Short mmCIF file of all heavy atoms in Angstrom, two decimals:
data_model
loop_
_atom_site.label_atom_id
_atom_site.label_comp_id
_atom_site.label_asym_id
_atom_site.label_seq_id
_atom_site.Cartn_x
_atom_site.Cartn_y
_atom_site.Cartn_z
N ASN A 751 13.12 26.36 -8.19
CA ASN A 751 14.51 26.11 -7.79
C ASN A 751 14.86 24.64 -7.94
O ASN A 751 14.00 23.76 -7.91
CB ASN A 751 14.73 26.53 -6.34
CG ASN A 751 13.99 25.62 -5.37
OD1 ASN A 751 12.78 25.64 -5.30
ND2 ASN A 751 14.73 24.83 -4.62
N GLN A 816 6.57 5.15 -14.35
CA GLN A 816 6.14 4.18 -13.35
C GLN A 816 5.29 4.83 -12.24
O GLN A 816 4.08 4.67 -12.23
CB GLN A 816 7.37 3.50 -12.73
CG GLN A 816 8.23 2.75 -13.74
CD GLN A 816 9.42 2.10 -13.08
OE1 GLN A 816 9.29 1.21 -12.24
NE2 GLN A 816 10.62 2.55 -13.44
N ASP A 868 11.87 6.08 4.04
CA ASP A 868 12.19 6.67 5.34
C ASP A 868 13.53 6.14 5.86
O ASP A 868 13.90 4.99 5.59
CB ASP A 868 11.10 6.36 6.36
CG ASP A 868 9.77 7.00 6.02
OD1 ASP A 868 9.78 8.03 5.32
OD2 ASP A 868 8.72 6.48 6.44
N GLU A 871 16.68 5.05 11.16
CA GLU A 871 16.52 5.46 12.56
C GLU A 871 15.09 5.91 12.85
O GLU A 871 14.61 5.80 13.98
CB GLU A 871 17.50 6.57 12.93
CG GLU A 871 17.34 7.88 12.19
CD GLU A 871 18.27 7.99 11.00
OE1 GLU A 871 18.76 6.95 10.53
OE2 GLU A 871 18.51 9.14 10.57
N GLY A 877 7.22 4.48 18.08
CA GLY A 877 5.99 5.14 17.66
C GLY A 877 5.89 5.37 16.17
O GLY A 877 5.02 6.12 15.71
N ASP A 896 3.12 -4.99 -7.01
CA ASP A 896 2.01 -5.82 -6.54
C ASP A 896 2.45 -6.73 -5.40
O ASP A 896 3.59 -7.18 -5.35
CB ASP A 896 1.46 -6.67 -7.69
CG ASP A 896 0.84 -5.84 -8.79
OD1 ASP A 896 0.54 -4.65 -8.55
OD2 ASP A 896 0.65 -6.38 -9.90
#
Side-chain angles (χ1 to χ4, degrees):
N751 69 290
Q816 300 180 63
D868 295 335
E871 64 263 20
D896 295 343

